[in-house]
Amino acid sequence: MPKKRHQKQYSKPQSTAPASLSSSTAASRHNSHHDDQQQNRSVNELLADLRRAGLRDGGSSQIRPAEAFVQPTVPPAIRQILQLPETPAPPPRRPVRVDATGRRLPPGPAPPRSWVSRPAGSGLYSDPRTLIEFGGAQNYAQRPLPGMVLPAKGSLMDLVLKGFARTWDWQVEYCRYILYELPTRVRGALLAYIGLYSEKGLTLQDMRAILLPPPPLVYEDDEDSHYEQERQRGFLPPGVVNDDFSCLDLSWSLGRSLKIRELSDFLYPPQAAAVVSTADPKDSWDAPDDEPTLEPSIPAALLPNLTRLSLALDPEHAHNVSWRHLLSFATHMPNLTHLSLAFWPEPSLTPNAKLATMVTAQGQVVQYGATGPYSHSLDNDWTEAIMVLNRLSKSLYRLEHLDLTGCGLWASALWSKSGHDMVDWVGAWGKVERIVMYAGYKLGEEAGSSERARYEMVTENARRVERHVRGRRAEKGMGKRGIVVETDEEGKE
């Protein structure tokens, strides 16, 4: 009977490995040995390999950043002896980003376009409580002085400053130690926003908190007191920090929460007596000292480069300002080029004496002030107004832009003549190139004929001022110095 043959499912393994397996095994052993060597190598050996690799590549343009960083620098003489290639030049630096004014921007990505864009026609003020409107349903506050850097309406900065101004009473206590270190453009815009959106307006204490260093803190601990003294020494003087502060907008604050006299004393402190010794040299050290003398020192202006100033008034508080104080204030600002006197009353040194009379020694009853109740309407006498404006022009002889919005009722003083006196548009104010003379309000749909005639008279006065100034300058051979008077379009409601 034949034997049954069973096929073996498992065979004895071969005594020698296949060629492919042996080669892969050898390669793996070599790689593992190479990896062990790589791990055991020091940093200096790795850097040396990188240097040799860079030398082998020679003038290859594709150099990795790590290789370019670790390439050594050799003096030129040694490089020639060793016949080493030239060290490649460092990669060019990224160009510095600057804004439109040439100021260097901070590092990092650029801000979103919506944060920095200024759409056409956008302005600073558009709050419903600015009720004085004119031409095209735009309020006066939407026309700030030229050159004032203000955030665009609806931008992030605009929203932040509005919220900051509406909660100013809390913010000034919480942020009082950082307000002085804010950028100049932010502090200038903050002053304008506080005057418009704060309940009480801009006060002198608010200006101190923004333009002056914070007061020192009082500590009981000696270490904390020493730290506070060092912190106070770190603050730069106000004249240095405010050196580039050229625009100051005090619209709607003057006469309501701020007075011209205290503003003048704050921005231009009065002269203080300085101790100066004028004694002759002593013959002996034992000789008694003479008493030192007091000489007035020159005060340092808080805003030394102020050139644009807005003193626009709230019409409801126009009676609280004084032209006498303005004339005294103007003597400190000979460098002023842009000025806004919107809604100021007629120029007069005694506005409250218009109806007052006095009895002379001869028993005659005469008018107390220079301007009476009928001086303008019946007599067409603008003597006092011309005198006040001439005194103002002699102090502000560099003026180029004058805003007289809402002052159309006394615009006749700008061209009238009293004897030989009249406003000097050739000498003192010969540099004035633009006068803004909007009516300051908008006619309603139900305005009567008398209101419309008064509105048109304001527009006609502005045109007459323009013709008068051009004629005066042409007579003196200054025809090239033209002037532009901005006003409402005739018949526009």
Side-chain angles (χ1 to χ4, degrees):
M1 184 174 183
K3 291 183 178 180
K4 294 183 179 180
R5 299 183 180 274
H6 299 282
Q7 188 175 1
K8 296 181 179 180
Q9 298 180 358
Y10 304 99
S11 59
K12 183 179 180 181
Q14 298 180 2
S15 58
T16 58
S20 59
L21 183 59
S22 61
S23 60
S24 61
T25 303
S28 62
R29 292 177 180 175
H30 177 74
N31 292 337
S32 61
H33 179 69
H34 180 72
D35 293 341
D36 294 339
Q37 290 181 350
Q38 288 283 76
Q39 293 178 0
N40 296 330
R41 296 173 66 185
S42 63
V43 177
N44 293 333
E45 294 176 350
L46 294 176
L47 293 177
D49 288 345
L50 290 176
R51 295 191 187 99
R52 285 193 294 269
L55 295 177
R56 284 197 302 268
D57 293 342
S60 177
S61 60
Q62 298 180 355
I63 301 178
R64 292 188 296 274
E67 296 176 354
F69 179 76
V70 299
Q71 280 188 350
T73 56
V74 183
I78 299 178
R79 184 185 299 111
Q80 294 178 0
I81 296 174
L82 300 178
Q83 297 182 356
L84 298 177
E86 293 289 340
T87 304
R93 297 183 61 182
R94 182 177 299 177
V96 179
R97 297 189 303 113
V98 296
D99 58 5
T101 60
R103 185 169 53 251
R104 185 172 181 175
L105 296 176
R113 188 172 300 177
S114 60
W115 290 12
V116 296
S117 62
R118 295 180 60 89
S122 63
L124 172 61
Y125 315 112
S126 58
D127 198 78
R129 79 184 198 87
T130 55
L131 301 178
I132 305 301
E133 299 181 348
F134 67 92
Q138 293 179 342
N139 52 49
Y140 163 74
Q142 287 180 334
R143 296 179 181 269
L145 290 178
M148 286 191 172
V149 181
L150 302 173
K153 177 183 176 182
S155 62
L156 177 63
M157 183 63 71
D158 176 61
L159 299 177
V160 170
L161 290 180
K162 280 183 180 179
F164 211 89
R166 286 168 179 154
T167 58
W168 175 247
D169 292 338
W170 182 84
Q171 298 287 353
V172 70
E173 294 294 334
Y174 185 78
C175 306
R176 62 187 305 177
Y177 295 102
I178 62 175
L179 293 174
Y180 183 66
E181 299 179 350
L182 291 176
T184 300
R185 62 183 184 278
V186 177
R187 291 187 295 156
L190 182 59
L191 290 172
Y193 273 76
I194 294 173
L196 274 179
Y197 300 111
S198 179
E199 294 182 359
K200 60 182 180 181
L202 183 68
T203 62
L204 188 64
Q205 290 72 20
D206 301 335
M207 297 186 66
R208 291 181 183 275
I210 296 176
L211 299 178
L212 293 180
L217 297 174
V218 179
Y219 294 100
E220 297 181 357
D221 189 3
D222 295 339
E223 184 178 356
D224 294 337
S225 300
H226 177 72
Y227 171 76
E228 179 62 22
Q229 293 177 1
E230 294 295 332
R231 191 178 71 91
Q232 288 292 327
R233 294 192 191 99
F235 289 121
L236 295 175
V240 177
V241 176
N242 302 324
D243 182 65
D244 55 347
F245 207 111
S246 60
C247 304
L248 182 60
D249 191 347
L250 303 178
S251 301
W252 299 79
S253 294
L254 208 63
R256 181 165 66 105
S257 57
L258 196 62
K259 297 180 180 179
I260 298 181
R261 180 178 295 178
E262 63 182 11
L263 177 64
S264 176
D265 294 340
F266 173 65
L267 296 180
Y268 304 96
Q271 291 186 355
V275 178
V276 180
S277 178
T278 57
D280 296 333
K282 304 296 182 182
D283 296 334
S284 173
W285 289 104
D286 299 333
D289 295 334
D290 297 334
E291 295 184 359
T293 59
L294 298 179
E295 293 184 0
S297 61
I298 301 177
L302 185 62
L303 306 178
N305 296 322
L306 182 64
T307 58
R308 293 172 173 85
L309 177 64
S310 177
L311 301 178
L313 302 178
D314 185 348
E316 297 181 358
H317 302 275
H319 60 279
N320 294 331
V321 297
S322 171
W323 280 91
R324 187 187 302 273
H325 295 163
L326 177 62
L327 293 177
S328 177
F329 183 39
T331 57
H332 302 288
M333 303 181 294
N335 296 328
L336 207 64
T337 59
H338 295 68
L339 176 65
S340 175
L341 298 178
F343 302 107
W344 271 67
E346 63 183 55
S348 175
L349 299 179
T350 55
N352 298 327
K354 184 174 290 188
L355 302 178
T357 58
M358 61 178 295
V359 180
T360 63
Q362 292 76 19
Q364 297 178 352
V365 179
V366 297
Q367 186 176 320
Y368 179 80
T371 302
Y374 306 107
S375 298
H376 303 331
S377 57
L378 297 180
D379 302 335
N380 195 25
D381 183 10
W382 297 91
T383 303
E384 185 180 18
I386 294 174
M387 183 264 296
V388 172
L389 292 177
N390 275 332
R391 289 180 57 182
L392 184 65
S393 65
K394 291 179 181 179
S395 300
L396 307 179
Y397 52 86
R398 293 185 179 181
L399 205 63
E400 301 176 2
H401 179 100
L402 182 60
D403 189 349
L404 298 177
T405 298
C407 304
L409 296 182
W410 54 268
S412 300
L414 300 176
W415 71 76
S416 297
K417 188 175 182 180
S418 176
H420 297 285
D421 295 334
M422 60 190 313
V423 179
D424 189 5
W425 295 105
V426 177
W429 276 355
K431 296 182 180 180
V432 176
E433 300 176 352
R434 184 175 297 273
I435 301 176
V436 181
M437 293 187 63
Y438 289 99
Y441 61 93
K442 178 186 175 184
L443 284 177
E445 297 180 357
E446 300 179 356
S449 58
S450 60
E451 296 180 2
R452 294 181 181 274
R454 184 179 180 180
Y455 188 86
E456 293 176 359
M457 181 191 67
V458 173
T459 304
E460 179 58 30
N461 288 344
R463 299 305 180 195
R464 187 169 179 179
V465 170
E466 185 175 10
R467 293 193 297 268
H468 170 74
V469 175
R470 289 182 178 179
R472 289 287 300 170
R473 292 180 178 178
E475 292 176 1
K476 300 297 182 178
M478 300 171 56
K480 294 183 179 180
R481 286 191 179 181
I483 189 169
V484 177
V485 179
E486 295 183 11
T487 185
D488 303 283
E489 297 180 8
E490 299 182 3
K492 184 175 181 179
E493 299 183 1

